[in-house]
């Protein structure tokens, strides 16, 4: 028995339970490694208490009457020992010093999901929250049920949906994602917000229609920038910015920026060059 370990059945003061007493289920208490996890034939000594605290999956193995409980070892067939070495600190250390990196992120996420290692999942999510938001990052967060990161990505993409419209086909069929993005998509396409929330996605064969509506509205707005306009009798007015509702910011010489709704301004007709 490893130093610091006590087997169930011992009585206070070191006395041993009488032989005719039905022994309680054998339990082990350790501060040192008391369990081996076998991966590709290699034994990794671990602390069973920390392992059980870190992973409900391993806890269920050890709390059952499975072979693992009796033999003091857990076999992980089909697993890579190189991957397990990266995961082990999150199972066997009180305060893991291991780092989440670009290179090991996907490995750690897979193990964290399969073995329900909450603190490893949290560490991966903290790492992701420092990365640039994109649709692929949103999809990654959704695939691994990273709620905080998913909300972060949805918020940024919703605010700048025209910048991400080309990539949104990756999540277009997922209603749980699209219900958060439809209001921004309708706005970007110049359409009134739907009266009721849309809780479904859109088939991939129809997504090009949605993308084209947003792209056309975006291109129309961009075509106005720099144009000379008529505005309240002022001369030399130019459009500086087009907002999502097609209201515009107009630079008025001697006055500064002014905002105008559709109908309060008009484009000056350009003279065609004489032949």
């Amino acid at each position: 028995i490893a130093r610091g370990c006590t087997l169930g059945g011992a009585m206070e003061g070191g006395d041993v339970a009488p032989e005719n007493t039905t022994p309680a289920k054998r339990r082990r208490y350790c501060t040192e490694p008391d369990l081996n996890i076998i991966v590709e034939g290699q034994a990794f000594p671990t602390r069973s208490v920390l392992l059980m605290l870190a992973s409900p999956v391993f806890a269920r193995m050890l709390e059952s009457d499975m072979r693992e409980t009796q033999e003091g070892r857990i076999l992980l067939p089909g697993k890579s020992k190189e991957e397990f070495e990266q995961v082990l600190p999150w199972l066997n250390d009180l305060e893991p010093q291991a780092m989440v990196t670009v290179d090991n992120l996907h490995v750690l996420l897979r193990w964290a999901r399969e073995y329900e290692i909450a603190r490893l999942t949290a560490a991966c999510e903290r790492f992701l929250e420092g990365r640039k938001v994109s649709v692929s990052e949103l999809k990654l967060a959704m695939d691994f049920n990273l709620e905080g990161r998913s909300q972060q990505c949805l918020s940024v993409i919703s605010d700048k949906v025209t910048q991400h419209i080309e990539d949104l086909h990756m999540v277009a069929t997922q209603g749980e994602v699209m219900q958060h993005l439809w209001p921004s998509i309708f706005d970007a396409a110049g359409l009134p917000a739907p009266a009721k929330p849309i809780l479904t996605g859109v088939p991939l064969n129809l997504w090009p229609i949605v993308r084209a509506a947003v792209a056309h509205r975006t291109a129309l707005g961009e075509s106005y920038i720099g144009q000379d306009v008529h505005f309240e009798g002022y001369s030399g007015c130019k459009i500086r910015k087009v907002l999502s509702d097609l209201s515009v910011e107009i630079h008025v010489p001697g006055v500064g920026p002014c905002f105008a709704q559709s109908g309060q301004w008009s484009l000056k007709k350009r003279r065609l060059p004489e032949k």
Side-chain angles (χ1 to χ4, degrees), residues 80-135:
S80 160
K81 66 181 180 181
E82 287 78 15
E83 290 187 2
F84 185 71
E85 286 173 341
Q86 299 177 62
V87 176
L88 184 58
W90 302 94
L91 297 170
N92 200 39
D93 296 347
L94 278 173
E95 298 181 358
Q97 301 301 308
M99 301 291 292
V100 179
T101 68
V102 173
D103 294 331
N104 66 18
L105 174 65
H106 285 79
V107 168
L108 297 181
L109 281 171
R110 282 193 287 102
W111 281 78
R113 178 174 60 185
E114 181 174 354
Y115 291 96
E116 301 174 18
I117 310 170
R119 64 177 177 173
L120 179 53
T121 299
C124 291
E125 189 162 17
R126 287 193 298 272
F127 174 79
L128 286 169
E129 287 172 352
R131 301 211 305 190
K132 184 178 179 180
V133 167
S134 66
V135 178

Side-chain angles (χ1 to χ4, degrees), residues 71-264:
E71 297 182 356
R73 64 175 186 160
I74 296 176
L75 276 64
L76 299 181
K79 298 298 183 185
S80 160
K81 66 181 180 181
E82 287 78 15
E83 290 187 2
F84 185 71
E85 286 173 341
Q86 299 177 62
V87 176
L88 184 58
W90 302 94
L91 297 170
N92 200 39
D93 296 347
L94 278 173
E95 298 181 358
Q97 301 301 308
M99 301 291 292
V100 179
T101 68
V102 173
D103 294 331
N104 66 18
L105 174 65
H106 285 79
V107 168
L108 297 181
L109 281 171
R110 282 193 287 102
W111 281 78
R113 178 174 60 185
E114 181 174 354
Y115 291 96
E116 301 174 18
I117 310 170
R119 64 177 177 173
L120 179 53
T121 299
C124 291
E125 189 162 17
R126 287 193 298 272
F127 174 79
L128 286 169
E129 287 172 352
R131 301 211 305 190
K132 184 178 179 180
V133 167
S134 66
V135 178
S136 60
E137 289 283 306
L138 171 61
K139 188 174 186 305
L140 177 66
M142 297 294 296
D143 288 346
F144 287 96
N145 298 315
L146 306 178
E147 294 184 5
R149 176 60 170 170
S150 296
Q151 290 302 317
Q152 180 191 33
C153 291
L154 282 170
S155 178
V156 172
I157 292 171
S158 180
D159 287 343
K160 300 180 179 179
V161 72
T162 57
Q163 297 180 16
H164 299 278
I165 197 69
E166 291 295 328
D167 296 324
L168 280 176
H169 66 275
M170 290 190 283
V171 294
T173 61
Q174 301 180 33
E176 68 274 20
V177 176
M178 295 303 296
Q179 63 178 309
H180 299 286
L181 298 176
W182 280 127
S184 296
I185 291 173
F186 270 66
D187 184 58
L191 300 172
K196 295 182 179 180
I198 301 176
L199 304 180
T200 61
V202 60
L204 283 179
N205 61 333
L206 295 181
W207 179 250
I209 299 174
V210 178
R211 182 186 62 200
V214 174
H216 173 74
R217 180 59 177 260
T218 302
L220 178 63
E222 291 176 350
S223 71
Y224 287 156
I225 297 175
Q227 294 278 13
D228 295 319
V229 294
H230 298 287
F231 177 64
E232 295 188 353
Y234 293 104
S235 59
C237 299
K238 289 182 180 289
I239 293 177
R240 287 290 181 84
K241 185 186 298 183
V242 180
L243 306 182
S244 61
D245 61 354
L246 283 190
S247 61
V248 296
E249 177 186 320
I250 298 174
H251 175 71
V252 180
V255 177
C258 296
F259 291 91
Q261 299 294 325
S262 178
Q264 296 179 321

